[in-house]
Amino acid sequence: MRLKGHLSYYPPCIRYVSVCAGILFCYLNWDGQLGARLTPPYPSGRTAKTPCGHLEVTNPLVHVSDSRTYLVSSYMEHRLEHSLIRTIAIVKREEKPSYSCMFCCDEELQNSSARYEIHSDHFGFDYGTADILCSVPENCSMPSHIAIYTGPLRGQKPVLPIRNQQERQESFPYQFTVCISVMYDYTNVMQLVQTLEMFRLLGAQHVAIYKSSCNAATQRVLDYYVQAGFVEIIPWPITEYINVSRGWQHSVSPGDLHYFGQIAALNDCVYRFMYQTQYVVLQDLDEIIVPLTVDTWTELLPLLEQQYGRYISFEFENHVFRNTVSGRNAAQRPTEWLGVAGVDILDHVWREPNDPNAFNNFKVIVSPRMVYRTTVHGLLRADCKGVRVDRDVARMYHIKPEVTDDVTDDKLIQEERLWDYAPRLIPAVSDVLKKTSPR
C-alpha cells in the first residue's frame, strides 16, 4: 500500500521535479563552503513594521543577503562634520562588497552610498569587526531606520533602528557602566555574584553582559540582577551565524571569528551606552579593576583626571592571581556559599610578579564619547591618549589559572587587598545566593 504524501506515490516525472527542487533549495541555502550555512534574515527574533512599511529587525545580528556580512547595530554619529550613520558589522575580510544604504526618513525611503572600514585587530581570523558608514541624505533630517544591502534593491530589506538620536549631553543616568564580553557556556556562579557585587562596591550602576550561553544556575542569578535593574543582557547568539573561536590565537583555537566576536561586542557596548554613561569600563568577568589608594572608582577617577587631564583613556595593568592557589580554608565560607559552583575570589590572594621591563596587558576606563574603535586591550581610534595608571595606585586583578609557567608558587606575591572589601562583600553575596538558590 502506498501512502499519499510519500514520493513513491507520485508518477516518475513528479518525483524527479520534487528531488530537483529539494536539491535547489539546499543549494540556495548554503554559501558554497562545507558546513557554513547562510543564516536567513530573521533566524530566531521578532520583526515589526516601521513607518516606511519595511520590517524592523530585533534580532541580535542581521545577515546581509548575497554577502558574508552580519550587522550588529546602527548609531547616529554626532562627532563628525557631516551626518553619518555608523553600523557595527562583522564581515568576511577577503570579500570586497559594495554596500548601499536605504533610510526611512519621515515615512519615506531614501538611498545613499556607503563605505566600510575593517578594524585592524582581527588576530588573523577570516572575519573581522567593521564599521559601515552611510551618509545621511541632505533632505533627511531625522532618519529612524536603515537597511544596508548589496546589489540591486529588490523587495523588502530588513532594517535596523538607528540609535543615539539624541545630541551631545553632559549629564548621564550612570556614572560607570561595565561592558562584559562575552559570556558563553558560563557556570561560574560564585565568581559571577562576587564580581557583580564588587562592581557595586566600586561604584558601578550598570553592567551590560553580551550573553551567548550559560547554565540554569547562572541564568537565575542574571534574572535576579536584571530585575533589580543592575544588569542588562544583550543576547549574543553568535554561534548561530559564524564558526567562532574560543580563544584569541587562530593556531591554538581555530575558527572563523576571534573569541565569540568579542571585539564587535565591545564596540557595540561603547556606542550603545555613549549617551547613557559618563564612563565605560571594558573588561571580562574574571577581572576587577581595584583601586589601592582609595576604595572606589568614584573616588579614583577624579584623582586621575586631576593628575592627567579629562581627555584620557586610563589603562590598568593586568595582574594574574592564580585561582589554583588558596589563601583561606573552606571553613571560613558562609553557609550560603557551600555547594555553590565556581571560584571564590577571596580565596586567591597570590599573584604572579609582572616583569617591569615587559609589556603587560591592561583594560581601560574611558569616556565612550572619546572612542571611535576599541579592541580587547585598549583603543584603536579615539579622541584621547592612553595613560598607564601607576600599578601602586590601581591595578587589574585577573583571577585565573597560572599564566607564567616558569614562576613557581613560592615566587608568588601575597596581596590581600580584596579582603578589605570582605565585610561588605560577604553579606551582599550571601544575600544574592540565598535569593537565587533553587527552591
Side-chain angles (χ1 to χ4, degrees):
M1 174 180 175
R2 291 181 179 179
L3 295 177
K4 191 172 183 179
H6 192 277
L7 276 178
S8 61
Y9 177 86
Y10 296 98
C13 60
I14 300 297
R15 294 202 302 268
Y16 177 79
V17 171
S18 299
V19 171
C20 290
I23 294 172
L24 179 62
F25 175 82
C26 292
Y27 174 79
L28 291 176
N29 277 274
W30 291 75
D31 70 352
Q33 288 186 337
L34 185 62
R37 188 179 189 276
L38 281 178
T39 307
Y42 320 118
S44 58
R46 299 164 296 165
T47 60
K49 287 284 187 179
T50 70
C52 297
H54 282 237
L55 293 174
E56 174 184 324
V57 176
T58 57
N59 295 333
L61 295 175
V62 175
H63 174 240
V64 177
S65 59
D66 300 322
S67 76
R68 294 188 181 100
T69 297
Y70 299 89
L71 309 179
V72 178
S73 49
S74 297
Y75 298 92
M76 183 76 77
E77 179 57 88
H78 298 284
R79 299 167 295 178
L80 302 177
E81 293 180 1
H82 54 286
S83 296
L84 283 177
I85 304 302
R86 183 187 302 271
T87 298
I88 298 169
I90 299 171
V91 305
K92 187 73 174 289
R93 293 192 297 115
E94 69 177 14
E95 281 195 340
K96 305 297 180 185
S98 178
Y99 299 113
S100 297
C101 313
M102 181 184 71
F103 292 96
C104 178
C105 299
D106 301 323
E107 300 186 10
E108 294 183 356
L109 294 175
Q110 299 190 37
N111 295 287
S112 75
S113 60
R115 60 187 174 90
Y116 72 98
E117 301 170 352
I118 299 176
H119 294 201
S120 57
D121 265 15
H122 45 70
F123 296 93
F125 289 88
D126 290 346
Y127 283 82
T129 301
D131 295 325
I132 301 177
L133 303 170
C134 298
S135 299
V136 179
E138 291 184 2
N139 56 346
C140 181
S141 59
M142 189 62 70
S144 62
H145 297 79
I146 186 173
I148 295 175
Y149 60 96
T150 60
L153 180 58
R154 290 195 297 258
Q156 285 204 344
K157 300 294 183 183
V159 299
L160 291 170
I162 298 173
R163 304 175 185 269
N164 292 354
Q165 296 279 357
Q166 66 270 45
E167 296 291 339
R168 298 170 183 260
Q169 60 191 68
E170 295 300 327
S171 60
F172 309 96
Y174 311 118
Q175 185 177 13
F176 294 99
T177 292
V178 182
C179 295
I180 300 296
S181 68
V182 292
M183 173 184 279
Y184 66 93
D185 298 345
Y186 198 88
T187 61
N188 192 350
V189 172
M190 178 61 73
Q191 189 165 358
L192 172 64
V193 176
Q194 289 179 326
T195 300
L196 290 174
E197 291 304 319
M198 275 297 300
F199 290 161
R200 279 193 200 269
L201 294 177
L202 292 168
Q205 298 86 28
H206 195 64
V207 179
I209 299 177
Y210 287 72
K211 192 197 84 169
S212 290
S213 58
C214 66
N215 66 357
T218 299
Q219 190 61 53
R220 285 195 299 270
V221 170
L222 294 177
D223 291 342
Y224 167 82
Y225 282 110
V226 169
Q227 187 175 5
F230 185 57
V231 166
E232 179 175 347
I233 300 299
I234 293 91
W236 195 247
I238 189 73
T239 55
E240 295 180 17
Y241 301 78
I242 302 174
N243 177 28
V244 299
S245 166
R246 292 174 176 262
W248 69 273
Q249 286 181 293
H250 189 276
S251 59
V252 177
S253 182
D256 295 328
L257 177 67
H258 163 265
Y259 197 67
F260 282 81
Q262 177 186 35
I263 296 174
L266 284 172
N267 279 273
D268 180 71
C269 195
V270 167
Y271 281 89
R272 184 178 293 259
F273 299 102
M274 185 167 287
Y275 300 105
Q276 298 184 47
T277 189
Q278 186 174 357
Y279 304 99
V280 285
V281 185
L282 305 177
Q283 60 169 87
D284 296 331
L285 275 173
D286 59 355
E287 300 169 339
I288 305 172
I289 295 171
V290 181
L292 302 180
T293 58
V294 293
D295 286 336
T296 65
W297 298 336
T298 308
E299 301 166 282
L300 176 64
L301 266 293
L303 296 177
L304 295 178
E305 289 180 345
Q306 183 179 358
Q307 181 178 357
Y308 297 107
R310 292 187 62 189
Y311 301 100
I312 298 294
S313 168
F314 297 107
E315 304 171 354
F316 299 89
E317 186 176 284
N318 181 65
H319 290 260
V320 173
F321 287 74
R322 290 185 180 174
N323 62 16
T324 55
V325 181
S326 297
R328 302 189 309 158
N329 59 61
Q332 295 174 282
R333 295 176 184 168
T335 304
E336 293 83 3
W337 297 19
L338 301 179
V340 177
V343 173
D344 179 355
I345 65 174
L346 295 177
D347 280 357
H348 308 297
V349 295
W350 294 90
R351 66 175 173 87
E352 297 181 0
N354 278 5
D355 184 350
N357 300 315
F359 173 81
N360 295 295
N361 283 332
F362 61 91
K363 294 296 175 70
V364 302
I365 298 179
V366 65
S367 164
R369 290 159 300 285
M370 296 190 291
V371 180
Y372 292 92
R373 292 180 188 171
T374 188
T375 184
V376 182
H377 302 287
L379 309 177
L380 294 180
R381 184 178 297 177
D383 288 332
C384 60
K385 65 177 182 178
V387 169
R388 184 66 63 96
V389 175
D390 189 313
R391 67 183 70 177
D392 293 327
V393 173
R395 61 179 60 160
M396 190 175 72
Y397 281 46
H398 195 172
I399 301 165
K400 60 181 295 184
E402 66 183 43
V403 173
T404 312
D405 297 334
D406 58 351
V407 175
T408 56
D409 288 352
D410 60 299
K411 295 180 181 177
L412 299 179
I413 301 168
Q414 188 172 14
E415 187 173 315
E416 300 174 353
R417 171 61 172 152
L418 286 184
W419 289 359
D420 294 338
Y421 296 91
R424 291 175 294 161
L425 179 64
I426 290 174
V429 170
S430 296
D431 182 59
V432 174
L433 292 177
K434 185 185 300 183
K435 292 176 178 177
T436 59
S437 63
R439 308 217 180 263

